[in-house]
Amino acid sequence: EPEVTQTPSHQVTQMGQEVILRCVPISNHLYFYWYRQILGQKVEFLVSFYNNEISEKSEIFDDQFSVERPDGSNFTLKIRSTKLEDSAMYFCASSGRGQGGEKLFFGSGTQLSVL
Amino acid sequence: GENVEQHPSTLSVQEGDSAVIKCTYSDSASNYFPWYKQELGKGPQLIIDIRSNVGEKKDQRIAVTLNKTAKHFSLHITETQPEDSAVYFCAASYGSWGKLQFGAGTQVVVTP
């Protein structure tokens, strides 16, 4: 069964450092997303991406964040200068198109710890 | 914006009994309501979903009901099994495609 894969599963970084979280969406999907879950809080939307551009972003997704689809398979989230409050589980998701296209399929997540 | 409330936060059931999780949403424009199951160390897995033009949907032991007027929807698991133990999230779509507002999650524990 096709699945969304994320690497690394755990990332520890120092405050102020840049991190890149990587995702390989399901191959025939066209819409890509990042969500995050801070410990003890709800899963929250960060950004959606379609046709090589951001479709929508939340207020969390400020100038420190960026997304990119550098090739035909990868989808990345970059945090330019990490803060303590960026510590969270980051989930990548993808979805298809047309009927049923709103079904999001999530990866297993990257646990980011900012020290 | 959309706000989704989910209850209970924890649910303990005996194997074979039924489990019910309830969610309410605030934005009457929301039209798609998925349920996700998250096992330890894994990402949320879609288990069932319902659109706003449908009142009920069933898939084997899992069913979801939607009351648009009251803006609430529920997940029903019958004949629970130990492998049903997980965290369950409800969600509602709002705004653009793929933008989901999640509930806080329900930890379900099925005891043999």
Side-chain angles (χ1 to χ4, degrees):
Chain A
E1 186 175 327
E3 59 181 21
V4 176
T5 57
Q6 289 185 243
T7 55
S9 57
H10 293 84
Q11 175 86 51
V12 180
T13 190
Q14 294 290 327
M15 189 170 57
Q17 294 296 303
E18 175 184 287
V19 294
I20 297 176
L21 309 183
R22 304 181 190 278
C23 169
V24 179
I26 294 173
S27 62
N28 62 346
H29 282 182
L30 300 175
Y31 300 84
F32 314 111
Y33 315 87
W34 286 99
Y35 281 75
R36 79 173 185 187
Q37 185 177 28
I38 295 172
L39 189 64
Q41 298 185 22
K42 294 181 178 182
V43 177
E44 51 189 354
F45 170 82
L46 292 179
V47 65
S48 58
F49 190 88
Y50 170 70
N51 200 25
N52 282 321
E53 60 183 29
I54 291 174
S55 304
E56 189 162 355
K57 58 184 181 180
S58 71
E59 59 272 14
I60 302 167
F61 196 89
D62 61 21
D63 292 343
Q64 296 297 319
F65 291 88
S66 62
V67 289
E68 190 179 30
R69 187 154 164 83
D71 53 43
S73 61
N74 290 284
F75 179 51
T76 62
L77 173 69
K78 181 192 289 186
I79 308 175
R80 192 167 62 207
S81 178
T82 50
K83 305 171 192 168
L84 295 176
E85 54 265 37
D86 294 328
S87 295
M89 177 71 86
Y90 287 81
F91 292 108
C92 173
S94 68
S95 66
R97 62 185 300 176
Q99 183 71 21
E102 67 280 348
K103 296 179 189 286
L104 266 64
F105 294 85
F106 285 83
S108 295
T110 294
Q111 180 65 57
L112 177 65
S113 298
V114 182
L115 306 179
Chain B
E2 175 65 279
N3 183 48
V4 176
E5 297 294 332
Q6 181 172 349
H7 299 281
S9 57
T10 59
L11 181 59
S12 184
V13 294
Q14 289 284 333
E15 182 177 359
D17 288 349
S18 295
V20 180
I21 303 170
K22 298 183 178 183
C23 289
T24 60
Y25 62 99
S26 61
D27 189 348
S28 56
S30 293
N31 59 5
Y32 173 69
F33 307 91
W35 285 87
Y36 286 86
K37 175 183 181 182
Q38 187 176 23
E39 296 174 336
L40 203 60
K42 297 185 179 180
Q45 178 188 11
L46 180 67
I47 56 171
I48 196 167
D49 55 8
I50 192 167
R51 292 176 166 276
S52 58
N53 58 349
V54 175
E56 184 173 356
K57 184 176 178 181
K58 190 173 181 180
D59 183 4
Q60 299 182 341
R61 297 186 296 107
I62 294 174
V64 57
T65 58
L66 171 65
N67 183 326
K68 280 174 52 180
T69 304
K71 288 190 280 191
H72 64 70
F73 56 114
S74 300
L75 178 72
H76 304 252
I77 307 173
T78 59
E79 299 172 25
T80 52
Q81 301 167 6
E83 53 264 37
D84 294 329
S85 296
V87 178
Y88 291 80
F89 293 97
C90 63
S93 69
Y94 70 112
S96 59
W97 192 271
K99 190 175 176 184
L100 299 176
Q101 179 68 46
F102 280 81
T106 297
Q107 175 74 61
V108 174
V109 177
V110 181
T111 52

